[in-house]
Amino acid sequence: MKYRPAVITAAASVALLAGTPAAGAAEGGLDSLPACTDVSTAYGDYAQRDLKASLDITADELAPGGDWTPAKGTLTNLGRRDLPEVGVHAYPWLQTDDPEYQDMTKFVKVEVRAQDGTWQPVNGMKTVVSAPLPSGQTLTYDLRIRVIKDVPVGFGGSEFNFTGSFADVYRFPDTGKEVKCAAEAIGYDAFHAPRPTTPKPTPSSAQPTPSASQGSSTPTATPTSAHPTASPSTTASASASASASASPASTTSAAPVPVPAPSSADGELAATGGSDATLPLAAAAGGLAVLGAGAVAFARRRRG
């Protein structure tokens, strides 16, 4: 849940305000001071309770190469003392071991609107805007964020920090020594980016048609009739018809199927279209003729 302080909003100023160390301003600027959390590392007991920061990016998704996306950062002084100088910086980051994403400022750009209406880049850790912040008041900053077009394929978004800092003093508990340092308050938000997708090729249902030069891998048979077609004829000579029909023409190697030969109106055999079925009939007729001739000869011999 994002923090939205209900306090009076004060106008932010871009002018750096001079002040004495006793007033809490840094002599060499806030960037010249060590972080209070680093100074107190040996004890780990530093915690500032004066400044509160928040960040609100208006969009959850930022597309690479898209337009600027508005964002709003706020700094609120919750303490009893006035802060003579509060600096602002913002930077994207990503918790990863991939060295390509160690510096997210290469891919994510952010700018802040100055008092004169111009936009100033605030990428990185350098403080570029500072202003006094009285007790109980809030500074509001207009930001805009965009992702460049050329990002790595695995780029999926970024986390983002909006940080306010002010000069403070850390006192060592054992010696009482005081060291000037920079206290920080961090506002956090994040966004994701749609990953680029590669369109999958659509399979085609059309079958390739072989060209005439390529030929066909499957032999194509030319259908022919396996049964010779009988052509009835009224030729008077049955022997000539039988010899003419003894070798029926056919373009196929399949054995012909016997087909009964049609007869003519006077009972003679057809001149064409004879098949293997006519051979036994011819043989029987020949046998009867031989027997008849033998019987005639035998009868003549007896008479003689």
Side-chain angles (χ1 to χ4, degrees):
M1 182 176 182
K2 298 173 182 177
Y3 176 76
R4 300 178 182 275
V7 292
I8 300 176
T9 302
S13 174
V14 295
L16 295 176
L17 301 180
T20 63
E27 293 180 350
L30 293 172
D31 292 334
S32 64
L33 297 176
C36 294
T37 52
D38 293 339
V39 173
S40 64
T41 300
Y43 300 93
D45 58 345
Y46 177 81
Q48 68 85 17
R49 297 178 177 84
D50 294 322
L51 190 63
K52 180 69 176 182
S54 68
L55 175 65
D56 184 10
I57 302 175
T58 58
D60 295 330
E61 181 178 279
L62 274 67
D67 202 358
W68 290 98
T69 297
K72 188 176 294 294
T74 60
L75 297 175
T76 302
N77 186 350
L78 302 177
R80 296 181 178 180
R81 57 175 174 166
D82 295 339
L83 301 178
E85 181 184 359
V86 175
V88 171
H89 56 274
Y91 55 94
W93 60 280
L94 192 64
Q95 187 68 33
T96 178
D97 295 331
D98 192 337
E100 190 171 23
Y101 300 106
Q102 295 300 319
D103 182 11
M104 293 294 289
T105 60
K106 298 182 299 182
F107 312 123
V108 183
K109 305 300 180 182
V110 59
E111 295 180 351
V112 60
R113 187 191 296 273
Q115 187 179 22
D116 59 1
T118 61
W119 291 97
Q120 298 182 14
V122 292
N123 277 358
M125 301 298 295
K126 183 178 180 180
T127 300
V128 294
V129 178
S130 61
L133 183 56
S135 174
Q137 294 190 6
T138 295
L139 293 175
T140 301
Y141 300 87
D142 292 327
L143 306 170
R144 60 182 186 179
I145 304 171
R146 67 183 297 267
V147 179
I148 67 171
K149 180 179 180 181
D150 298 325
V151 296
V153 176
F155 182 85
S158 176
E159 298 175 273
F160 208 92
N161 282 0
F162 173 78
T163 304
S165 60
F166 63 95
D168 203 359
V169 175
Y170 175 74
R171 179 177 296 174
F172 287 91
D174 54 349
T175 63
K177 179 183 178 180
E178 293 184 348
V179 177
K180 291 184 67 65
C181 57
E184 292 184 341
I186 300 176
Y188 170 84
D189 204 347
F191 64 87
H192 66 274
R195 296 180 183 273
T197 57
T198 302
K200 296 182 179 180
T202 303
S204 176
S205 60
Q207 298 295 331
T209 302
S211 61
S213 60
Q214 293 176 345
S216 174
S217 59
T218 304
T220 303
T222 302
T224 57
S225 173
H227 307 287
T229 303
S231 299
S233 174
T234 58
T235 305
S237 176
S239 60
S241 340
S243 61
S245 61
S247 300
S250 176
T251 58
T252 179
S253 60
V257 179
V259 178
S263 60
S264 61
D266 55 353
E268 294 182 353
L269 292 175
T272 60
S275 63
D276 291 345
T278 63
L279 296 180
L281 298 177
L288 293 175
V290 171
L291 291 177
V296 171
F298 179 75
R300 289 180 178 179
R301 289 180 182 177
R302 291 188 64 181
R303 288 177 182 180

